[in-house]
Amino acid sequence: MLSEPRSGRLAAWGNALLAGFVSPDDAVLAIVGEDAVHRVEGLPGESGPVGLTLALGRLRALGVTGLRVALPAPGHPLGLSGPPDFNARALEAEEAVVCHGAALGLVPEVYEAGPDGDVHVEVVWHCLTVREASPADVPSLGEAERELAEALREATEVLSRLDVAGSGPVAEAAVDAYRARAERGREVLAPGYPPRAVRVLELAQRVGLLISVAYENGHGGAVSASEMSARAVALRPVERTARRAQVAAYNAFVEERERGVR
């Protein structure tokens, strides 16, 4: 959860493009990020893979008015609505984008090429048919914000109680360093998103970072297998809450348009 999911970038900047807040060039540049290239294959009306600019234009022509994010995990089909084959591919990738206005979804497949130190990343988005239904387990922004505030307290308490090396000043320093890097050269969300969505996404990233620091910084005082297991069990629902909040933030653009807010 430290890095912004590719599905989040595609949905956020795709929504901004569809709503006329950004140009196609700016949207594609933000979506690709540090990757070498993104292509989309399986689009209706196209015989082979196409670039993002053409793909986003084609989706608009097919009736797509918005893009939602799914961040599923085993036992938690967060943001998905089926069918099973699409869900399975999204679960394998741990992310997907679901179109609003057309029964289509996009699942990324990542390829790396080149020698160490000069690896180029290419992404192919597979366009598949989805079931038109409400996405699974996505909270409202208000619910997500309330849950996250509690999750942040729980994560800090759990790490301190289990004497995990990632708690306390070490974790706070890592959070500050990450946020400083994240704020350089990119927006948290694309233009057009409500301020509350930006706030929720920032908090979700903060909670996710605390969890990641705990896992990456060794076992701390949790030296026994039972203590390590207890830490994982305690943090799992916190991580789930952070993922739900991420999806709620990315999907806020479409949810507000459905309610007629914009």
Side-chain angles (χ1 to χ4, degrees):
M1 193 172 291
L2 291 186
S3 61
E4 185 180 30
R6 290 182 174 88
S7 57
R9 295 204 305 267
L10 177 57
W13 289 89
N15 283 330
L17 174 62
L18 290 169
F21 286 103
V22 297
S23 69
D25 287 346
D26 287 343
V28 170
L29 185 64
I31 293 167
V32 173
E34 296 182 357
D35 299 332
V37 66
H38 284 216
R39 297 185 179 89
V40 181
E41 74 170 17
L43 272 173
E46 299 293 339
S47 59
V50 299
L52 272 181
T53 302
L54 178 57
L56 290 168
R58 172 67 68 184
L59 289 174
R60 187 201 298 270
L62 291 168
V64 173
T65 57
L67 302 170
R68 289 188 172 104
V69 169
L71 297 177
H76 189 205
L78 175 61
L80 298 176
S81 59
D85 57 339
F86 180 80
N87 287 6
R89 294 193 69 157
L91 180 58
E92 182 179 358
E94 298 183 340
E95 61 178 315
V97 170
V98 179
C99 299
H100 178 67
L104 298 170
L106 302 161
V107 179
E109 187 171 3
V110 180
Y111 301 90
E112 294 185 352
D116 290 342
D118 190 26
V119 175
H120 298 278
V121 177
E122 298 185 3
V123 179
V124 175
W125 293 88
H126 298 279
C127 185
L128 305 164
T129 300
V130 300
R131 180 180 299 135
E132 294 186 281
S134 298
D137 198 37
V138 179
S140 68
L141 274 178
E143 291 170 335
E145 193 167 29
R146 289 191 296 271
E147 292 173 359
L148 273 173
E150 180 61 28
L152 184 58
R153 288 192 294 270
E154 289 179 3
T156 303
E157 291 172 2
V158 167
L159 299 184
S160 299
R161 185 173 68 250
L162 297 178
D163 194 20
V164 173
S167 62
V170 173
E172 288 302 314
V175 170
D176 291 341
Y178 168 73
R179 293 185 71 180
R181 290 195 305 273
E183 288 168 2
R184 289 198 300 265
R186 79 164 180 88
E187 298 178 68
V188 175
L189 279 171
Y193 271 83
R196 192 174 201 178
V198 175
R199 188 167 66 245
V200 167
L201 183 57
E202 287 179 328
L203 186 54
Q205 291 172 340
R206 181 181 177 87
V207 172
L209 180 61
L210 283 171
I211 295 169
S212 296
V213 167
Y215 284 129
E216 293 170 2
N217 280 16
H219 303 316
V223 295
S224 71
S226 62
E227 286 172 327
M228 286 185 280
S229 177
R231 178 183 61 181
V233 169
L235 291 177
R236 194 171 297 126
V238 181
E239 184 177 18
R240 181 186 180 109
T241 297
R243 283 192 302 107
R244 292 180 74 234
Q246 271 194 305
V247 173
Y250 285 122
N251 294 2
F253 198 100
V254 174
E255 305 307 330
E256 287 204 350
R257 296 193 75 180
E258 282 192 313
R259 295 199 308 270
V261 174
R262 59 180 77 247

